[in-house]
PDB file of all heavy atoms in Angstrom:
ATOM      1  N   LYS D 599      -0.776  24.130 -44.724  1.00  0.00           N
ATOM      2  CA  LYS D 599      -0.888  22.895 -43.953  1.00  0.00           C
ATOM      3  C   LYS D 599      -1.689  23.114 -42.676  1.00  0.00           C
ATOM      4  O   LYS D 599      -2.490  22.264 -42.275  1.00  0.00           O
ATOM      5  CB  LYS D 599       0.508  22.364 -43.623  1.00  0.00           C
ATOM      6  CG  LYS D 599       1.248  21.788 -44.820  1.00  0.00           C
ATOM      7  CD  LYS D 599       2.605  21.252 -44.415  1.00  0.00           C
ATOM      8  CE  LYS D 599       3.339  20.643 -45.612  1.00  0.00           C
ATOM      9  NZ  LYS D 599       4.666  20.109 -45.224  1.00  0.00           N
ATOM     10  N   LYS D 600      -1.471  24.246 -42.023  1.00  0.00           N
ATOM     11  CA  LYS D 600      -2.224  24.543 -40.808  1.00  0.00           C
ATOM     12  C   LYS D 600      -3.709  24.712 -41.100  1.00  0.00           C
ATOM     13  O   LYS D 600      -4.577  24.286 -40.328  1.00  0.00           O
ATOM     14  CB  LYS D 600      -1.668  25.796 -40.132  1.00  0.00           C
ATOM     15  CG  LYS D 600      -0.342  25.577 -39.409  1.00  0.00           C
ATOM     16  CD  LYS D 600       0.071  26.813 -38.640  1.00  0.00           C
ATOM     17  CE  LYS D 600       1.371  26.564 -37.875  1.00  0.00           C
ATOM     18  NZ  LYS D 600       1.188  25.527 -36.824  1.00  0.00           N
ATOM     19  N   GLU D 601      -4.009  25.334 -42.234  1.00  0.00           N
ATOM     20  CA  GLU D 601      -5.410  25.492 -42.621  1.00  0.00           C
ATOM     21  C   GLU D 601      -6.058  24.139 -42.900  1.00  0.00           C
ATOM     22  O   GLU D 601      -7.193  23.878 -42.508  1.00  0.00           O
ATOM     23  CB  GLU D 601      -5.519  26.392 -43.854  1.00  0.00           C
ATOM     24  CG  GLU D 601      -6.968  26.646 -44.269  1.00  0.00           C
ATOM     25  CD  GLU D 601      -7.076  27.548 -45.484  1.00  0.00           C
ATOM     26  OE1 GLU D 601      -6.031  27.968 -46.007  1.00  0.00           O
ATOM     27  OE2 GLU D 601      -8.219  27.819 -45.897  1.00  0.00           O
ATOM     28  N   ALA D 602      -5.304  23.258 -43.579  1.00  0.00           N
ATOM     29  CA  ALA D 602      -5.815  21.914 -43.859  1.00  0.00           C
ATOM     30  C   ALA D 602      -6.042  21.146 -42.566  1.00  0.00           C
ATOM     31  O   ALA D 602      -7.028  20.421 -42.414  1.00  0.00           O
ATOM     32  CB  ALA D 602      -4.838  21.161 -44.765  1.00  0.00           C
ATOM     33  N   GLU D 603      -5.120  21.304 -41.616  1.00  0.00           N
ATOM     34  CA  GLU D 603      -5.268  20.620 -40.324  1.00  0.00           C
ATOM     35  C   GLU D 603      -6.521  21.098 -39.606  1.00  0.00           C
ATOM     36  O   GLU D 603      -7.275  20.304 -39.024  1.00  0.00           O
ATOM     37  CB  GLU D 603      -4.048  20.878 -39.446  1.00  0.00           C
ATOM     38  CG  GLU D 603      -4.131  20.210 -38.080  1.00  0.00           C
ATOM     39  CD  GLU D 603      -2.927  20.513 -37.205  1.00  0.00           C
ATOM     40  OE1 GLU D 603      -2.039  21.269 -37.647  1.00  0.00           O
ATOM     41  OE2 GLU D 603      -2.894  19.990 -36.086  1.00  0.00           O
ATOM     42  N   ALA D 604      -6.786  22.404 -39.633  1.00  0.00           N
ATOM     43  CA  ALA D 604      -7.974  22.962 -38.979  1.00  0.00           C
ATOM     44  C   ALA D 604      -9.247  22.424 -39.623  1.00  0.00           C
ATOM     45  O   ALA D 604     -10.209  22.076 -38.932  1.00  0.00           O
ATOM     46  CB  ALA D 604      -7.937  24.486 -39.059  1.00  0.00           C
ATOM     47  N   LYS D 605      -9.258  22.344 -40.959  1.00  0.00           N
ATOM     48  CA  LYS D 605     -10.442  21.828 -41.650  1.00  0.00           C
ATOM     49  C   LYS D 605     -10.612  20.329 -41.396  1.00  0.00           C
ATOM     50  O   LYS D 605     -11.739  19.830 -41.317  1.00  0.00           O
ATOM     51  CB  LYS D 605     -10.319  22.102 -43.155  1.00  0.00           C
ATOM     52  CG  LYS D 605     -10.476  23.578 -43.498  1.00  0.00           C
ATOM     53  CD  LYS D 605     -10.435  23.808 -45.001  1.00  0.00           C
ATOM     54  CE  LYS D 605     -10.676  25.283 -45.327  1.00  0.00           C
ATOM     55  NZ  LYS D 605     -10.633  25.538 -46.784  1.00  0.00           N
ATOM     56  N   PHE D 606      -9.489  19.622 -41.263  1.00  0.00           N
ATOM     57  CA  PHE D 606      -9.525  18.196 -40.957  1.00  0.00           C
ATOM     58  C   PHE D 606     -10.205  17.978 -39.599  1.00  0.00           C
ATOM     59  O   PHE D 606     -11.058  17.110 -39.430  1.00  0.00           O
ATOM     60  CB  PHE D 606      -8.090  17.654 -40.951  1.00  0.00           C
ATOM     61  CG  PHE D 606      -7.987  16.157 -40.834  1.00  0.00           C
ATOM     62  CD1 PHE D 606      -8.199  15.349 -41.933  1.00  0.00           C
ATOM     63  CD2 PHE D 606      -7.646  15.563 -39.636  1.00  0.00           C
ATOM     64  CE1 PHE D 606      -8.085  13.973 -41.833  1.00  0.00           C
ATOM     65  CE2 PHE D 606      -7.527  14.190 -39.529  1.00  0.00           C
ATOM     66  CZ  PHE D 606      -7.752  13.390 -40.631  1.00  0.00           C
ATOM     67  N   LYS D 607      -9.807  18.800 -38.599  1.00  0.00           N
ATOM     68  CA  LYS D 607     -10.389  18.689 -37.261  1.00  0.00           C
ATOM     69  C   LYS D 607     -11.851  19.117 -37.265  1.00  0.00           C
ATOM     70  O   LYS D 607     -12.689  18.517 -36.592  1.00  0.00           O
ATOM     71  CB  LYS D 607      -9.594  19.544 -36.283  1.00  0.00           C
ATOM     72  CG  LYS D 607      -8.193  19.020 -35.988  1.00  0.00           C
ATOM     73  CD  LYS D 607      -7.480  19.942 -35.008  1.00  0.00           C
ATOM     74  CE  LYS D 607      -6.090  19.424 -34.657  1.00  0.00           C
ATOM     75  NZ  LYS D 607      -5.413  20.317 -33.691  1.00  0.00           N
ATOM     76  N   GLU D 608     -12.167  20.173 -38.026  1.00  0.00           N
ATOM     77  CA  GLU D 608     -13.543  20.664 -38.098  1.00  0.00           C
ATOM     78  C   GLU D 608     -14.457  19.583 -38.674  1.00  0.00           C
ATOM     79  O   GLU D 608     -15.568  19.366 -38.182  1.00  0.00           O
ATOM     80  CB  GLU D 608     -13.588  21.921 -38.964  1.00  0.00           C
ATOM     81  CG  GLU D 608     -14.974  22.560 -39.035  1.00  0.00           C
ATOM     82  CD  GLU D 608     -15.009  23.755 -39.978  1.00  0.00           C
ATOM     83  OE1 GLU D 608     -14.388  23.672 -41.065  1.00  0.00           O
ATOM     84  OE2 GLU D 608     -15.661  24.750 -39.626  1.00  0.00           O
ATOM     85  N   ALA D 609     -13.984  18.893 -39.703  1.00  0.00           N
ATOM     86  CA  ALA D 609     -14.783  17.829 -40.313  1.00  0.00           C
ATOM     87  C   ALA D 609     -14.975  16.670 -39.329  1.00  0.00           C
ATOM     88  O   ALA D 609     -16.050  16.070 -39.259  1.00  0.00           O
ATOM     89  CB  ALA D 609     -14.109  17.329 -41.589  1.00  0.00           C
ATOM     90  N   ALA D 610     -13.929  16.353 -38.556  1.00  0.00           N
ATOM     91  CA  ALA D 610     -14.026  15.273 -37.569  1.00  0.00           C
ATOM     92  C   ALA D 610     -15.053  15.614 -36.502  1.00  0.00           C
ATOM     93  O   ALA D 610     -15.825  14.757 -36.062  1.00  0.00           O
ATOM     94  CB  ALA D 610     -12.659  15.018 -36.937  1.00  0.00           C
ATOM     95  N   GLU D 611     -15.057  16.871 -36.073  1.00  0.00           N
ATOM     96  CA  GLU D 611     -16.033  17.306 -35.063  1.00  0.00           C
ATOM     97  C   GLU D 611     -17.456  17.196 -35.606  1.00  0.00           C
ATOM     98  O   GLU D 611     -18.357  16.715 -34.910  1.00  0.00           O
ATOM     99  CB  GLU D 611     -15.744  18.743 -34.647  1.00  0.00           C
ATOM    100  CG  GLU D 611     -16.721  19.286 -33.619  1.00  0.00           C
ATOM    101  CD  GLU D 611     -16.424  20.724 -33.225  1.00  0.00           C
ATOM    102  OE1 GLU D 611     -15.357  21.236 -33.603  1.00  0.00           O
ATOM    103  OE2 GLU D 611     -17.272  21.323 -32.545  1.00  0.00           O
ATOM    104  N   ALA D 612     -17.652  17.631 -36.848  1.00  0.00           N
ATOM    105  CA  ALA D 612     -18.982  17.560 -37.458  1.00  0.00           C
ATOM    106  C   ALA D 612     -19.434  16.110 -37.601  1.00  0.00           C
ATOM    107  O   ALA D 612     -20.582  15.764 -37.297  1.00  0.00           O
ATOM    108  CB  ALA D 612     -18.960  18.254 -38.821  1.00  0.00           C
ATOM    109  N   TYR D 613     -18.528  15.240 -38.031  1.00  0.00           N
ATOM    110  CA  TYR D 613     -18.888  13.840 -38.212  1.00  0.00           C
ATOM    111  C   TYR D 613     -19.199  13.168 -36.881  1.00  0.00           C
ATOM    112  O   TYR D 613     -20.117  12.355 -36.780  1.00  0.00           O
ATOM    113  CB  TYR D 613     -17.744  13.092 -38.917  1.00  0.00           C
ATOM    114  CG  TYR D 613     -18.015  11.614 -39.083  1.00  0.00           C
ATOM    115  CD1 TYR D 613     -18.972  11.167 -39.993  1.00  0.00           C
ATOM    116  CD2 TYR D 613     -17.334  10.660 -38.333  1.00  0.00           C
ATOM    117  CE1 TYR D 613     -19.241   9.819 -40.145  1.00  0.00           C
ATOM    118  CE2 TYR D 613     -17.587   9.308 -38.475  1.00  0.00           C
ATOM    119  CZ  TYR D 613     -18.539   8.899 -39.385  1.00  0.00           C
ATOM    120  OH  TYR D 613     -18.808   7.562 -39.528  1.00  0.00           O
ATOM    121  N   ASP D 614     -18.446  13.509 -35.842  1.00  0.00           N
ATOM    122  CA  ASP D 614     -18.675  12.922 -34.525  1.00  0.00           C
ATOM    123  C   ASP D 614     -20.113  13.157 -34.070  1.00  0.00           C
ATOM    124  O   ASP D 614     -20.723  12.283 -33.454  1.00  0.00           O
ATOM    125  CB  ASP D 614     -17.702  13.529 -33.514  1.00  0.00           C
ATOM    126  CG  ASP D 614     -17.968  13.038 -32.100  1.00  0.00           C
ATOM    127  OD1 ASP D 614     -17.764  11.840 -31.858  1.00  0.00           O
ATOM    128  OD2 ASP D 614     -18.387  13.844 -31.262  1.00  0.00           O
ATOM    129  N   VAL D 615     -20.673  14.311 -34.377  1.00  0.00           N
ATOM    130  CA  VAL D 615     -22.035  14.631 -33.962  1.00  0.00           C
ATOM    131  C   VAL D 615     -23.066  14.040 -34.921  1.00  0.00           C
ATOM    132  O   VAL D 615     -24.027  13.400 -34.504  1.00  0.00           O
ATOM    133  CB  VAL D 615     -22.214  16.164 -33.862  1.00  0.00           C
ATOM    134  CG1 VAL D 615     -23.687  16.518 -33.637  1.00  0.00           C
ATOM    135  CG2 VAL D 615     -21.362  16.717 -32.730  1.00  0.00           C
ATOM    136  N   LEU D 616     -22.869  14.225 -36.231  1.00  0.00           N
ATOM    137  CA  LEU D 616     -23.917  13.875 -37.190  1.00  0.00           C
ATOM    138  C   LEU D 616     -24.033  12.382 -37.453  1.00  0.00           C
ATOM    139  O   LEU D 616     -25.099  11.928 -37.896  1.00  0.00           O
ATOM    140  CB  LEU D 616     -23.668  14.617 -38.517  1.00  0.00           C
ATOM    141  CG  LEU D 616     -23.709  16.145 -38.444  1.00  0.00           C
ATOM    142  CD1 LEU D 616     -23.584  16.740 -39.837  1.00  0.00           C
ATOM    143  CD2 LEU D 616     -24.997  16.624 -37.791  1.00  0.00           C
ATOM    144  N   HIS D 617     -22.978  11.593 -37.188  1.00  0.00           N
ATOM    145  CA  HIS D 617     -23.115  10.160 -37.451  1.00  0.00           C
ATOM    146  C   HIS D 617     -23.749   9.427 -36.278  1.00  0.00           C
ATOM    147  O   HIS D 617     -24.121   8.262 -36.396  1.00  0.00           O
ATOM    148  CB  HIS D 617     -21.745   9.542 -37.787  1.00  0.00           C
ATOM    149  CG  HIS D 617     -20.995   9.015 -36.596  1.00  0.00           C
ATOM    150  ND1 HIS D 617     -20.428   9.858 -35.651  1.00  0.00           N
ATOM    151  CD2 HIS D 617     -20.731   7.751 -36.190  1.00  0.00           C
ATOM    152  CE1 HIS D 617     -19.831   9.121 -34.718  1.00  0.00           C
ATOM    153  NE2 HIS D 617     -20.012   7.846 -35.012  1.00  0.00           N
ATOM    154  N   ASP D 618     -23.885  10.107 -35.147  1.00  0.00           N
ATOM    155  CA  ASP D 618     -24.487   9.513 -33.958  1.00  0.00           C
ATOM    156  C   ASP D 618     -25.944   9.967 -33.868  1.00  0.00           C
ATOM    157  O   ASP D 618     -26.208  11.162 -33.764  1.00  0.00           O
ATOM    158  CB  ASP D 618     -23.722   9.956 -32.708  1.00  0.00           C
ATOM    159  CG  ASP D 618     -24.246   9.297 -31.445  1.00  0.00           C
ATOM    160  OD1 ASP D 618     -25.377   9.652 -31.041  1.00  0.00           O
ATOM    161  OD2 ASP D 618     -23.542   8.459 -30.858  1.00  0.00           O
ATOM    162  N   PRO D 619     -26.923   9.045 -33.934  1.00  0.00           N
ATOM    163  CA  PRO D 619     -28.337   9.448 -33.965  1.00  0.00           C
ATOM    164  C   PRO D 619     -28.745  10.343 -32.812  1.00  0.00           C
ATOM    165  O   PRO D 619     -29.469  11.323 -32.995  1.00  0.00           O
ATOM    166  CB  PRO D 619     -29.088   8.108 -33.926  1.00  0.00           C
ATOM    167  CG  PRO D 619     -28.126   7.115 -34.498  1.00  0.00           C
ATOM    168  CD  PRO D 619     -26.767   7.575 -34.049  1.00  0.00           C
ATOM    169  N   GLN D 620     -28.277  10.034 -31.586  1.00  0.00           N
ATOM    170  CA  GLN D 620     -28.668  10.834 -30.427  1.00  0.00           C
ATOM    171  C   GLN D 620     -28.051  12.235 -30.484  1.00  0.00           C
ATOM    172  O   GLN D 620     -28.727  13.244 -30.263  1.00  0.00           O
ATOM    173  CB  GLN D 620     -28.253  10.137 -29.141  1.00  0.00           C
ATOM    174  CG  GLN D 620     -29.223   9.038 -28.715  1.00  0.00           C
ATOM    175  CD  GLN D 620     -28.903   8.520 -27.333  1.00  0.00           C
ATOM    176  OE1 GLN D 620     -27.785   8.108 -27.052  1.00  0.00           O
ATOM    177  NE2 GLN D 620     -29.889   8.547 -26.459  1.00  0.00           N
ATOM    178  N   LYS D 621     -26.748  12.295 -30.766  1.00  0.00           N
ATOM    179  CA  LYS D 621     -26.092  13.603 -30.829  1.00  0.00           C
ATOM    180  C   LYS D 621     -26.693  14.449 -31.955  1.00  0.00           C
ATOM    181  O   LYS D 621     -26.892  15.650 -31.801  1.00  0.00           O
ATOM    182  CB  LYS D 621     -24.586  13.425 -31.065  1.00  0.00           C
ATOM    183  CG  LYS D 621     -23.833  12.795 -29.903  1.00  0.00           C
ATOM    184  CD  LYS D 621     -22.360  12.669 -30.243  1.00  0.00           C
ATOM    185  CE  LYS D 621     -21.598  11.932 -29.156  1.00  0.00           C
ATOM    186  NZ  LYS D 621     -20.179  11.742 -29.511  1.00  0.00           N
ATOM    187  N   ARG D 622     -26.972  13.805 -33.080  1.00  0.00           N
ATOM    188  CA  ARG D 622     -27.531  14.541 -34.212  1.00  0.00           C
ATOM    189  C   ARG D 622     -28.909  15.094 -33.862  1.00  0.00           C
ATOM    190  O   ARG D 622     -29.231  16.230 -34.191  1.00  0.00           O
ATOM    191  CB  ARG D 622     -27.622  13.618 -35.431  1.00  0.00           C
ATOM    192  CG  ARG D 622     -28.152  14.326 -36.683  1.00  0.00           C
ATOM    193  CD  ARG D 622     -28.175  13.378 -37.856  1.00  0.00           C
ATOM    194  NE  ARG D 622     -28.675  14.020 -39.065  1.00  0.00           N
ATOM    195  CZ  ARG D 622     -28.840  13.408 -40.233  1.00  0.00           C
ATOM    196  NH1 ARG D 622     -28.508  12.126 -40.349  1.00  0.00           N
ATOM    197  NH2 ARG D 622     -29.307  14.061 -41.275  1.00  0.00           N
ATOM    198  N   GLN D 623     -29.724  14.281 -33.169  1.00  0.00           N
ATOM    199  CA  GLN D 623     -31.048  14.751 -32.781  1.00  0.00           C
ATOM    200  C   GLN D 623     -30.956  15.935 -31.827  1.00  0.00           C
ATOM    201  O   GLN D 623     -31.692  16.921 -31.955  1.00  0.00           O
ATOM    202  CB  GLN D 623     -31.827  13.595 -32.134  1.00  0.00           C
ATOM    203  CG  GLN D 623     -33.277  13.930 -31.815  1.00  0.00           C
ATOM    204  CD  GLN D 623     -33.437  14.602 -30.483  1.00  0.00           C
ATOM    205  OE1 GLN D 623     -32.730  14.273 -29.529  1.00  0.00           O
ATOM    206  NE2 GLN D 623     -34.350  15.548 -30.394  1.00  0.00           N
ATOM    207  N   ARG D 624     -30.012  15.872 -30.863  1.00  0.00           N
ATOM    208  CA  ARG D 624     -29.838  16.983 -29.930  1.00  0.00           C
ATOM    209  C   ARG D 624     -29.338  18.225 -30.662  1.00  0.00           C
ATOM    210  O   ARG D 624     -29.774  19.341 -30.375  1.00  0.00           O
ATOM    211  CB  ARG D 624     -28.850  16.601 -28.817  1.00  0.00           C
ATOM    212  CG  ARG D 624     -29.365  15.521 -27.880  1.00  0.00           C
ATOM    213  CD  ARG D 624     -28.582  15.524 -26.572  1.00  0.00           C
ATOM    214  NE  ARG D 624     -27.159  15.321 -26.748  1.00  0.00           N
ATOM    215  CZ  ARG D 624     -26.554  14.147 -26.650  1.00  0.00           C
ATOM    216  NH1 ARG D 624     -27.244  13.062 -26.380  1.00  0.00           N
ATOM    217  NH2 ARG D 624     -25.242  14.049 -26.810  1.00  0.00           N
ATOM    218  N   TYR D 625     -28.431  18.030 -31.632  1.00  0.00           N
ATOM    219  CA  TYR D 625     -27.908  19.167 -32.395  1.00  0.00           C
ATOM    220  C   TYR D 625     -29.003  19.799 -33.244  1.00  0.00           C
ATOM    221  O   TYR D 625     -29.130  21.028 -33.310  1.00  0.00           O
ATOM    222  CB  TYR D 625     -26.748  18.717 -33.281  1.00  0.00           C
ATOM    223  CG  TYR D 625     -26.231  19.802 -34.199  1.00  0.00           C
ATOM    224  CD1 TYR D 625     -25.536  20.900 -33.690  1.00  0.00           C
ATOM    225  CD2 TYR D 625     -26.464  19.741 -35.568  1.00  0.00           C
ATOM    226  CE1 TYR D 625     -25.073  21.901 -34.523  1.00  0.00           C
ATOM    227  CE2 TYR D 625     -26.005  20.742 -36.409  1.00  0.00           C
ATOM    228  CZ  TYR D 625     -25.311  21.820 -35.876  1.00  0.00           C
ATOM    229  OH  TYR D 625     -24.867  22.816 -36.712  1.00  0.00           O
ATOM    230  N   ASP D 626     -29.834  18.944 -33.894  1.00  0.00           N
ATOM    231  CA  ASP D 626     -30.915  19.464 -34.729  1.00  0.00           C
ATOM    232  C   ASP D 626     -31.901  20.287 -33.904  1.00  0.00           C
ATOM    233  O   ASP D 626     -32.473  21.265 -34.392  1.00  0.00           O
ATOM    234  CB  ASP D 626     -31.658  18.314 -35.419  1.00  0.00           C
ATOM    235  CG  ASP D 626     -30.853  17.695 -36.554  1.00  0.00           C
ATOM    236  OD1 ASP D 626     -29.877  18.341 -36.994  1.00  0.00           O
ATOM    237  OD2 ASP D 626     -31.181  16.580 -36.977  1.00  0.00           O
ATOM    238  N   GLN D 627     -32.111  19.887 -32.659  1.00  0.00           N
ATOM    239  CA  GLN D 627     -33.099  20.568 -31.835  1.00  0.00           C
ATOM    240  C   GLN D 627     -32.536  21.759 -31.079  1.00  0.00           C
ATOM    241  O   GLN D 627     -33.174  22.800 -30.960  1.00  0.00           O
ATOM    242  CB  GLN D 627     -33.716  19.588 -30.834  1.00  0.00           C
ATOM    243  CG  GLN D 627     -34.873  20.201 -30.045  1.00  0.00           C
ATOM    244  CD  GLN D 627     -35.591  19.176 -29.206  1.00  0.00           C
ATOM    245  OE1 GLN D 627     -35.119  18.066 -29.045  1.00  0.00           O
ATOM    246  NE2 GLN D 627     -36.725  19.549 -28.653  1.00  0.00           N
ATOM    247  N   PHE D 628     -31.295  21.623 -30.566  1.00  0.00           N
ATOM    248  CA  PHE D 628     -30.751  22.650 -29.687  1.00  0.00           C
ATOM    249  C   PHE D 628     -29.513  23.348 -30.233  1.00  0.00           C
ATOM    250  O   PHE D 628     -28.959  24.226 -29.572  1.00  0.00           O
ATOM    251  CB  PHE D 628     -30.419  22.044 -28.318  1.00  0.00           C
ATOM    252  CG  PHE D 628     -31.588  21.404 -27.637  1.00  0.00           C
ATOM    253  CD1 PHE D 628     -31.732  20.032 -27.620  1.00  0.00           C
ATOM    254  CD2 PHE D 628     -32.557  22.177 -27.032  1.00  0.00           C
ATOM    255  CE1 PHE D 628     -32.815  19.427 -26.997  1.00  0.00           C
ATOM    256  CE2 PHE D 628     -33.638  21.594 -26.401  1.00  0.00           C
ATOM    257  CZ  PHE D 628     -33.773  20.219 -26.390  1.00  0.00           C
ATOM    258  N   GLY D 629     -29.031  22.936 -31.420  1.00  0.00           N
ATOM    259  CA  GLY D 629     -27.825  23.547 -31.967  1.00  0.00           C
ATOM    260  C   GLY D 629     -26.591  23.131 -31.189  1.00  0.00           C
ATOM    261  O   GLY D 629     -26.543  22.061 -30.583  1.00  0.00           O
ATOM    262  N   PHE D 630     -25.566  23.982 -31.179  1.00  0.00           N
ATOM    263  CA  PHE D 630     -24.313  23.646 -30.504  1.00  0.00           C
ATOM    264  C   PHE D 630     -24.515  23.439 -29.012  1.00  0.00           C
ATOM    265  O   PHE D 630     -23.792  22.666 -28.382  1.00  0.00           O
ATOM    266  CB  PHE D 630     -23.269  24.743 -30.742  1.00  0.00           C
ATOM    267  CG  PHE D 630     -22.859  24.879 -32.188  1.00  0.00           C
ATOM    268  CD1 PHE D 630     -23.164  26.027 -32.901  1.00  0.00           C
ATOM    269  CD2 PHE D 630     -22.202  23.864 -32.840  1.00  0.00           C
ATOM    270  CE1 PHE D 630     -22.797  26.160 -34.231  1.00  0.00           C
ATOM    271  CE2 PHE D 630     -21.837  23.981 -34.178  1.00  0.00           C
ATOM    272  CZ  PHE D 630     -22.136  25.132 -34.875  1.00  0.00           C
ATOM    273  N   ALA D 631     -25.507  24.109 -28.434  1.00  0.00           N
ATOM    274  CA  ALA D 631     -25.760  23.961 -26.999  1.00  0.00           C
ATOM    275  C   ALA D 631     -26.201  22.546 -26.661  1.00  0.00           C
ATOM    276  O   ALA D 631     -26.008  22.083 -25.542  1.00  0.00           O
ATOM    277  CB  ALA D 631     -26.827  24.959 -26.550  1.00  0.00           C
ATOM    278  N   GLY D 632     -26.791  21.836 -27.617  1.00  0.00           N
ATOM    279  CA  GLY D 632     -27.268  20.493 -27.357  1.00  0.00           C
ATOM    280  C   GLY D 632     -26.189  19.438 -27.344  1.00  0.00           C
ATOM    281  O   GLY D 632     -26.412  18.334 -26.847  1.00  0.00           O
TER     282      GLY D 632
END
């Protein structure tokens, strides 16, 4: 269950960045630092 919770949060973090055009563009260009 703890592993599932961690993956659930990891997916939420990824979606928060990639579904937003500006955040995704910054991530594509600068990686996590962006």
Side-chain angles (χ1 to χ4, degrees):
K599 288 181 179 180
K600 285 186 178 295
E601 183 179 0
E603 180 182 2
K605 289 183 177 180
F606 188 79
K607 290 180 178 181
E608 183 184 41
E611 179 181 350
Y613 177 71
D614 175 67
V615 171
L616 298 185
H617 91 289
D618 184 290
Q620 279 189 306
K621 292 180 185 177
R622 182 178 180 182
Q623 186 274 323
R624 293 199 302 265
Y625 175 70
D626 286 344
Q627 186 172 11
F628 302 103
F630 295 114

